[in-house]
Amino acid sequence: LGKTVMRNFNKTIFSGDAAQYFRIWITNLFLTIITLGIYSPWAAVANTKYLYQNLKIDGHRFDYIAQPMQILKGRLIALFLLGLVAFFSIFNEIMYLIALGALFIATPWIINRSISFQLRMTTYRNVSFDFQGNYMSSFLYFLLLPFLSVFTLFLALPLVFKNSDNYIIINTKFGNKEIVASLSVSEYYRAFFAALAGIMSITLIVFVSMWLAPSLIIFTGFAGYIALIAVGSSVWGSIIRNHTFNNTKVLSVASFNSTMEVGPYTFIIFTNILALIFSLGLAYPWVAIRNMKYLSATLSVKTEEGLDSVIDDIPRDNSAILDEVAGAFDIEI
């Protein structure tokens, strides 16, 4: 009595099928094109639902509960605002500068609302997630610190990424349960310098190959460029994903174990890029399913007795406006 009862250590299972997802994706793409983009919210919801509903932990599936009409309204307003800024950029320079200033001031708020909407629309065991960040903290972690890292010749970037990741994690909730993390800045620097070493090694190999085989300079440059992206992304992504998951807990609910490896993930990213290029983008469903299968196969979840006592106290957010504004103005989160 009084002790926390641990459940089994469960593999994350993704059961999506590339051929099935391609049929859904290509149909949605066709309908989006012939409706001049009006159908895109329905397409986005259907595509996301397929991926979420095929992701299962401990016998329960995730779901995405956003309503297409919510997203359509948001996109129309975002499109209007984007058009207004474009209009000012051509016909009224003062108003354009004012609009940019207003967007800059609003960015932390937009980011908070965008993350919150996406999490509230994500459910597991009929319980939603949520993000409860505040304006000043988002301004600090997403705008001010990244800007100040420029003056350190970007040597402070790992510290910036560690702080922003920690900020997002500890302000995310699963129902009425809080999430905690104990991230180490040393792991971020290890990932940073490991990725830098990998990129420099690939760069050296590419230059040597070009020098030894000038006739293959175009092929070598093309392959080398893709390899740079693959190595840098896989080294950083694997180390940071493992570290963040392995040091994060949903209090009284779950802990995680991530076992990504640099080699396999590098191969996946490299071949994914090639597939997207040579298929003119039509390989996207295959790439998405392939990624989901690898990421789920390398993640295990240990649940606790408290999982059955989670209460869904997250209010449903019926507005996707700021989520779409963030996308319209290319605010990456």
Side-chain angles (χ1 to χ4, degrees), residues 60-122:
H60 295 272
R61 299 179 184 276
F62 284 80
D63 199 4
Y64 185 66
I65 61 174
Q67 298 300 315
M69 190 57 70
Q70 299 172 241
I71 299 176
L72 179 61
K73 292 177 182 177
R75 289 189 178 181
L76 291 175
I77 293 175
L79 184 63
F80 170 76
L81 293 176
L82 188 61
L84 195 63
V85 172
F87 175 82
F88 288 148
S89 69
I90 298 174
F91 298 104
N92 194 318
E93 184 176 349
I94 294 178
M95 288 301 297
Y96 175 62
L97 294 176
I98 292 175
L100 289 181
L103 177 63
F104 176 79
I105 293 173
T107 293
W109 185 54
I110 293 173
I111 289 175
N112 289 343
R113 295 288 294 167
S114 178
I115 298 176
S116 179
F117 174 79
Q118 288 299 330
L119 286 174
R120 290 183 183 189
M121 297 302 104
T122 302

Side-chain angles (χ1 to χ4, degrees), residues 32-284:
T32 298
I33 292 173
I34 65 173
T35 60
L36 303 179
I38 294 177
Y39 188 78
S40 61
W42 282 264
V45 170
N47 292 342
T48 305
K49 264 185 174 294
Y50 180 83
L51 297 177
Y52 279 31
Q53 291 177 348
N54 279 283
L55 184 63
K56 184 166 61 176
I57 297 175
D58 196 22
H60 295 272
R61 299 179 184 276
F62 284 80
D63 199 4
Y64 185 66
I65 61 174
Q67 298 300 315
M69 190 57 70
Q70 299 172 241
I71 299 176
L72 179 61
K73 292 177 182 177
R75 289 189 178 181
L76 291 175
I77 293 175
L79 184 63
F80 170 76
L81 293 176
L82 188 61
L84 195 63
V85 172
F87 175 82
F88 288 148
S89 69
I90 298 174
F91 298 104
N92 194 318
E93 184 176 349
I94 294 178
M95 288 301 297
Y96 175 62
L97 294 176
I98 292 175
L100 289 181
L103 177 63
F104 176 79
I105 293 173
T107 293
W109 185 54
I110 293 173
I111 289 175
N112 289 343
R113 295 288 294 167
S114 178
I115 298 176
S116 179
F117 174 79
Q118 288 299 330
L119 286 174
R120 290 183 183 189
M121 297 302 104
T122 302
T123 66
Y124 174 69
R125 294 169 61 108
N126 296 319
V127 176
S128 292
F129 294 81
D130 193 18
F131 178 72
Q132 298 184 331
N134 60 74
Y135 180 92
M136 291 307 299
S137 294
S138 290
F139 179 83
L140 174 67
Y141 293 121
F142 297 130
L143 296 179
L144 182 59
L145 291 182
F147 172 74
L148 293 178
S149 71
V150 174
F151 299 101
T152 68
L153 300 180
F154 298 105
L155 290 177
L157 268 182
L159 177 61
V160 172
F161 289 141
K162 179 263 181 182
N163 287 333
S164 61
D165 285 350
N166 188 76
Y167 168 68
I168 292 174
I169 292 171
I170 65 174
N171 282 285
T172 298
K173 290 182 64 181
F174 175 56
N176 65 330
K177 300 296 183 179
E178 295 183 354
I179 300 178
V180 297
S182 55
L183 305 185
S184 169
V185 69
S186 63
E187 281 296 296
Y188 279 77
Y189 272 99
R190 183 171 79 88
F192 178 78
F193 286 114
L196 186 61
I199 290 172
M200 292 176 65
S201 298
I202 294 297
T203 302
L204 179 60
I205 292 172
V206 169
F207 278 119
V208 171
S209 300
M210 287 180 173
W211 180 70
L212 294 175
S215 60
L216 299 176
I217 189 170
I218 295 178
F219 171 79
T220 304
F222 173 73
Y225 179 69
I226 297 176
L228 285 175
I229 298 174
V231 169
S233 300
S234 65
V235 171
W236 174 269
S238 298
I239 295 175
I240 297 304
R241 180 179 169 89
N242 289 344
H243 177 65
T244 52
F245 267 110
N246 296 342
N247 291 277
T248 296
K249 293 182 178 180
V250 185
L251 289 179
S252 302
V253 173
S255 56
F256 309 92
N257 182 45
S258 178
T259 57
M260 285 182 66
E261 297 179 2
V262 172
Y265 197 40
T266 299
F267 177 75
I268 289 173
I269 294 177
F270 185 84
T271 50
N272 280 350
I273 295 174
L274 289 178
L276 288 171
I277 291 173
F278 289 107
S279 70
L280 301 180
L282 292 176
Y284 172 78

